[in-house]
Amino acid sequence: MNTIVVAQLQRQFQDYMVSLYQQGYLDNQFTELRKLQDEGSPDFVAEVVSLFFDDCAKLINDMSISLERPDHVDFKQVDSGVHQLKGSSSSVGARRVKNVCIAFKECCDVQNREGCLRCLQQVDYEYKMLKTKLQDLFNLEQQILQAGGTIPQVDIN
Amino acid sequence: MEKGGFSPVGLRVLVVDDDPTWLKILEKMLKKCSYEVTTCGLAREALRLLRERKDGYDIVISDVNMPDMDGFKLLEHVGLELDLPVIMMSVDGETSRVMKGVQHGACDYLLKPIRMKELKIIWQHVLRKKLQEVRDIEGCGYEGGADWITRYDEAHFLGGGEDVSFCKKRKDFDFDKKLLLQDESDPSSSSSKKARVVWSFELHQKFVNAVNQIGCDHKAGPKKILDLMNVPWLTRENVASHLQKYRLYLSRLEKEKELKCYSGGVKSIDSSTKDAELNSGHQSPGKSSFVFSEGIFQKATETDPKPLASASLSDPNTDVIMPPKTKKTRIGFDPPISSSAFDSLLSWNDVPEVLESKPVLYENSFLQQQPLPSQSSYVTNSAPALMEEEMKPPYETPVGGSGVTADEFLMPQDKIPTVTIQDLDPSALSSMKLQEFSSNVTNNTEAILRSLNCELPESNHSASLDTDLDLSWLQGERFLANTGLQFQDYSSSPSFLSELPPHLWYGNERLPDPDEYSFMVDQGLFIS
């Protein structure tokens, strides 16, 4: 094991993680999620976020269908979708996604189709962005493990 | 878990959430708490699981928003059928929502994201419920014993997380015997348990028979019912709380029938007939019939069963004797059924409290697919005002009651579908009492009954009811038919039908199909 390489990777990992929190991509819930991961379920976090992203894709798709026709918007469905998305995002600590949901809900409440469409676009962007970021994070993790190192506990304060 | 003891370890939790992400996370978190976890993505599925394994779970955690069923409705069902503690979850922490949860009997309301520390202590709700049940039992025959247990238990059990054994700690108290008794009397229960009575279909049938047998001449109080039922392991408290639920159900049916009659959309409720295996063979031909309830009943909240039960069903004469250890799952109780059986339900003289206002409407039948005006609502105990339109005839003061005024019984018809929990007066909810209907309510129901008179069954049913008899939903005459009641004077007797839909009770294999169920769900049960 090349300790220097491992140390470098671990450092990279830590910095990256901290930056994600600082930039608001993640919040404390993600930390909690990481705590749940153990030897019995080493891929727990990856599995959960994977579920989340799948859920996002589905919800966003359904909502876009509801918002498609200007003359016939099913705001109830959209509202329900936003609510689910909000709940889902709170499960993994997807802070930015959750924040968009808050704005999204407001547009829904006043039946602002344009606003909803903008929010929909934004939430789509945010979840995909987060997906990319987390993928990078997991890759770093893998590199550390492959280099024989352990994943550091990152203290986010 | 050791017999007679209580331990958070291995607590059997059923988690219901349509969000797959949360379901996975909660499962993990609960497992980390050393609980035994079952997950479920649909409310309907959850209910199926719960019914399949009665006594198979200690606590239910459910999200408020689910696609197939409102979480509050699930809460109601669980409370009514299983009497399990239920914790609600939501990402929405709005006060009104939380209140709704509490009103429906949730023992806790958690906000997402949920923390481990919140899940680590959910076992207290299970313990609390057990203690309450125990106190119910104890309170009957052991004055002062209940207090003693309360103080000791709460100090002891809630203070630590270790295994605690009732037996060891109370040498000079027969408490351990009672616990053992409970275990023995219910072999299907887990060792950690339960004073909880599962009202199987047969048991409920006996209950109904007893109620009917008492007739209108006598008070049909919990003690009398208990005596008649002749179920050794059953306690007066069990009967009392069951009685409350039953009355709740009846009042709801009554409400529905009123509604239907007024709206003129009398719809066939024959689906219940399909499911019924009536020994008597009487089935109401395609016409709708409604169960009339004579009284407005209320169900004690899950979180506060004891005070309610004791408050509303206090029977000064009751002195429950601890049932012997043998449990009879099958009670060959075939009481002769009097024609005036229904009247018994009218005059609950030994029910001191009078239901103040809020009738609770249960769906007529969980099997029904009746489209009520408002889909998502269930008629709740709110609004005395709600009764206004329903009961047009003037009221007389109910017999023995503290006076059910017209206000209390009448509900504006148009309001019925839209009454929600928010309309409820919390204070009234907390002091729910049983009321006796005025005889004018009877008159009203009689009138409606008469309109369906052609449906009345011949009163020549066998009085002996096989315990295996599957009773269909009580729908006016259908109920009469089912129970084989002799109604010589049917048209004038209060149509106080005293049966719960079979699917409501365990032991009934005929659960409503999904469609019917959703209707039932839409109707909603209000459990306060």
Side-chain angles (χ1 to χ4, degrees):
Chain A
M1 167 169 95
N2 187 336
T3 43
I4 299 174
V5 170
V6 167
Q8 270 179 344
L9 287 170
Q10 285 173 333
R11 189 58 192 270
Q12 243 183 309
F13 176 83
Q14 258 175 321
D15 291 343
Y16 194 61
M17 180 84 96
V18 170
S19 77
L20 288 179
Y21 279 82
Q22 282 174 344
Q23 290 168 47
Y25 285 101
L26 297 170
D27 64 25
N28 193 42
Q29 177 63 18
F30 190 75
T31 318
E32 297 293 317
L33 213 61
R34 292 194 75 224
K35 285 184 194 168
L36 290 175
Q37 186 161 295
D38 52 24
E39 303 83 43
S41 53
D43 300 315
F44 179 69
V45 179
E47 287 166 6
V48 171
V49 298
S50 174
L51 278 174
F52 167 65
F53 292 134
D54 288 344
D55 212 25
C56 279
K58 180 183 170 295
L59 289 168
I60 289 169
N61 183 52
D62 291 345
M63 285 191 283
S64 72
I65 291 170
S66 296
L67 287 165
E68 207 173 329
R69 288 173 49 191
D71 57 327
H72 196 261
V73 178
D74 185 357
F75 280 107
K76 206 165 174 225
Q77 192 281 333
V78 178
D79 184 76
S80 161
V82 174
H83 184 93
Q84 288 182 63
L85 198 55
K86 189 178 174 204
S88 220
S89 61
S90 73
S91 76
V92 299
R95 187 157 157 264
R96 283 200 181 185
V97 176
K98 191 174 80 171
N99 287 342
V100 176
C101 287
I102 294 170
F104 202 157
K105 172 144 175 57
E106 284 169 14
C107 292
C108 228
D109 289 345
V110 299
Q111 306 212 336
N112 175 359
R113 179 176 174 265
E114 286 302 316
C116 282
L117 283 171
R118 279 197 299 273
C119 288
L120 186 71
Q121 239 180 352
Q122 204 179 348
V123 88
D124 187 65
Y125 170 82
E126 288 296 343
Y127 104 82
K128 283 172 177 164
M129 181 65 103
L130 181 64
K131 191 173 179 181
T132 316
K133 299 269 181 191
L134 287 180
Q135 194 57 59
D136 292 343
L137 194 71
F138 294 142
N139 286 344
L140 270 174
E141 274 188 349
Q142 286 306 310
Q143 286 177 47
I144 294 172
L145 293 172
Q146 277 162 19
T150 55
I151 315 293
Q153 285 295 328
V154 183
D155 190 15
I156 313 287
N157 274 336
Chain B
M1 287 191 240
E2 56 183 85
K3 197 170 187 177
F6 180 85
S7 167
V9 174
L11 199 75
R12 297 160 310 160
V13 184
L14 177 67
V15 187
V16 192
D17 199 329
D18 67 318
D19 185 333
T21 326
W22 267 116
L23 207 56
K24 190 175 171 82
I25 294 173
L26 287 168
E27 182 185 30
K28 184 77 180 163
M29 288 171 81
L30 290 164
K31 279 183 175 164
K32 275 205 152 96
C33 295
S34 307
Y35 298 147
E36 199 184 288
V37 187
T38 310
T39 59
C40 199
L42 285 174
R44 218 172 273 187
E45 176 68 15
L47 274 174
R48 190 185 66 79
L49 285 172
L50 287 164
R51 286 172 181 150
E52 257 178 29
R53 278 179 67 203
K54 308 157 195 174
D55 253 19
Y57 302 96
D58 295 309
I59 188 165
V60 179
I61 305 182
S62 170
D63 190 85
V64 163
N65 295 91
M66 279 182 295
D68 64 332
M69 188 194 304
D70 186 358
F72 297 116
K73 286 178 186 162
L74 174 65
L75 172 56
E76 280 182 357
H77 285 299
V78 174
L80 183 74
E81 300 177 33
L82 298 141
D83 201 28
L84 281 176
V86 181
I87 296 177
M88 304 301 293
M89 302 182 289
S90 181
V91 71
D92 173 13
E94 219 176 292
T95 309
S96 61
R97 301 288 280 176
V98 177
M99 186 181 310
K100 196 171 178 182
V102 173
Q103 286 170 341
H104 280 68
C107 57
D108 209 347
Y109 193 108
L110 303 178
L111 288 189
K112 290 178 170 176
I114 297 175
R115 292 282 167 262
M116 277 293 290
K117 60 184 180 187
E118 292 173 295
L119 294 179
K120 276 187 178 147
I121 54 169
I122 62 172
W123 58 268
Q124 64 174 295
H125 301 294
V126 180
L127 176 62
R128 194 174 295 126
K129 220 168 176 66
K130 284 184 196 236
L131 291 176
Q132 277 175 341
E133 287 163 0
V134 162
R135 272 184 233 126
D136 283 352
I137 298 168
E138 313 249 315
C140 306
Y142 298 81
E143 289 87 342
D147 286 337
W148 183 78
I149 282 200
T150 307
R151 285 193 303 272
Y152 190 98
D153 288 355
E154 292 188 346
H156 185 85
F157 293 103
L158 299 181
E162 56 195 295
D163 279 10
V164 263
S165 165
F166 280 73
C167 304
K168 295 180 203 148
K169 305 301 175 189
R170 263 173 276 305
K171 296 171 198 139
D172 47 325
F173 198 70
D174 272 349
F175 189 78
D176 55 339
K177 280 193 195 158
K178 286 179 201 59
L179 276 188
L180 289 172
L181 184 141
Q182 292 302 321
D183 285 343
E184 285 175 9
S185 66
D186 187 6
S188 65
S189 70
S190 80
S191 61
S192 72
K193 325 266 191 116
K194 255 169 209 166
R196 181 189 325 147
V197 171
V198 174
W199 280 86
S200 70
F201 193 75
E202 290 123 3
L203 191 60
H204 175 63
Q205 185 51 46
K206 287 167 194 19
F207 168 81
V208 168
N209 292 342
V211 160
N212 295 332
Q213 187 188 7
I214 289 171
C216 64
D217 301 331
H218 315 280
K219 323 170 176 186
K223 168 123 175 64
K224 271 223 164 57
I225 299 172
L226 180 70
D227 291 343
L228 276 175
M229 283 177 72
N230 194 26
V231 178
W233 52 269
L234 201 63
T235 73
R236 187 200 150 274
E237 251 65 19
N238 298 143
V239 174
S241 76
H242 190 72
L243 184 61
Q244 275 197 324
K245 297 178 188 180
Y246 185 60
R247 287 172 172 170
L248 223 58
Y249 155 73
L250 287 175
S251 71
R252 180 178 196 154
L253 291 178
E254 160 112 48
K255 215 52 273 155
E256 278 188 15
K257 178 147 195 179
E258 297 285 352
L259 179 64
K260 286 293 183 274
C261 287
Y262 271 109
S263 64
V266 174
K267 187 179 166 177
S268 171
I269 325 184
D270 262 347
S271 51
S272 60
T273 320
K274 292 190 291 238
D275 293 55
E277 291 168 12
L278 304 173
N279 280 1
S280 55
H282 264 267
Q283 310 224 337
S284 193
K287 260 181 129 182
S288 69
S289 44
F290 296 87
V291 178
F292 292 110
S293 63
E294 284 299 338
I296 298 175
F297 302 117
Q298 293 180 343
K299 177 194 178 297
T301 64
E302 280 183 1
T303 51
D304 197 20
K306 189 202 169 215
L308 208 57
S310 56
S312 50
L313 295 170
S314 59
D315 181 355
N317 302 322
T318 293
D319 185 12
V320 173
I321 301 161
M322 285 308 296
K325 297 195 175 186
T326 55
K327 170 184 175 179
K328 294 183 190 174
T329 50
R330 209 148 262 275
I331 299 165
F333 180 61
D334 293 318
I337 301 180
S338 73
S339 59
S340 55
F342 286 148
D343 291 339
S344 68
L345 293 173
L346 240 193
S347 55
W348 296 108
N349 290 333
D350 66 338
V351 177
E353 281 76 2
V354 167
L355 189 68
E356 263 154 19
S357 52
K358 333 274 186 167
V360 168
L361 292 200
Y362 278 17
E363 284 132 25
N364 218 349
S365 164
F366 289 170
L367 308 173
Q368 302 306 323
Q369 266 289 14
Q370 293 172 1
L372 275 199
S374 165
Q375 230 204 354
S376 61
S377 68
Y378 28 84
V379 186
T380 65
N381 284 358
S382 69
L386 277 183
M387 291 288 284
E388 224 83 48
E389 288 178 20
E390 287 290 270
M391 308 297 187
K392 284 182 182 168
Y395 276 101
E396 297 170 13
T397 318
V399 177
S402 59
V404 176
T405 67
D407 287 344
E408 290 164 335
F409 281 98
L410 298 181
M411 295 201 290
Q413 181 181 343
D414 60 324
K415 249 184 135 186
I416 288 173
T418 59
V419 171
T420 63
I421 292 295
Q422 274 80 0
D423 295 344
L424 286 169
D425 171 15
S427 64
L429 274 177
S430 59
S431 63
M432 289 216 264
K433 303 173 180 185
L434 295 169
Q435 256 180 350
E436 302 171 29
F437 266 98
S438 72
S439 53
N440 277 325
V441 175
T442 306
N443 292 340
N444 194 34
T445 59
E446 282 172 20
I448 295 170
L449 252 182
R450 265 181 233 116
S451 70
L452 300 168
N453 222 347
C454 61
E455 309 250 309
L456 298 182
E458 304 111 25
S459 54
N460 58 354
H461 299 295
S462 157
S464 67
L465 287 171
D466 193 335
T467 55
D468 285 331
L469 174 68
D470 277 339
L471 302 170
S472 70
W473 270 91
L474 297 190
Q475 307 281 335
E477 52 282 348
R478 188 175 297 127
F479 163 75
L480 305 177
N482 295 349
T483 57
L485 292 165
Q486 313 286 330
F487 290 101
Q488 298 98 356
D489 196 24
Y490 184 69
S491 60
S492 61
S493 72
S495 58
F496 202 28
L497 306 172
S498 49
E499 269 189 355
L500 271 169
H503 59 262
L504 188 59
W505 308 104
Y506 289 101
N508 177 24
E509 293 314 313
R510 283 188 303 284
L511 288 177
D513 66 44
D515 287 342
E516 293 168 336
Y517 187 68
S518 67
F519 165 79
M520 157 177 69
V521 164
D522 287 343
Q523 291 304 306
L525 286 176
F526 171 72
I527 297 177
S528 54

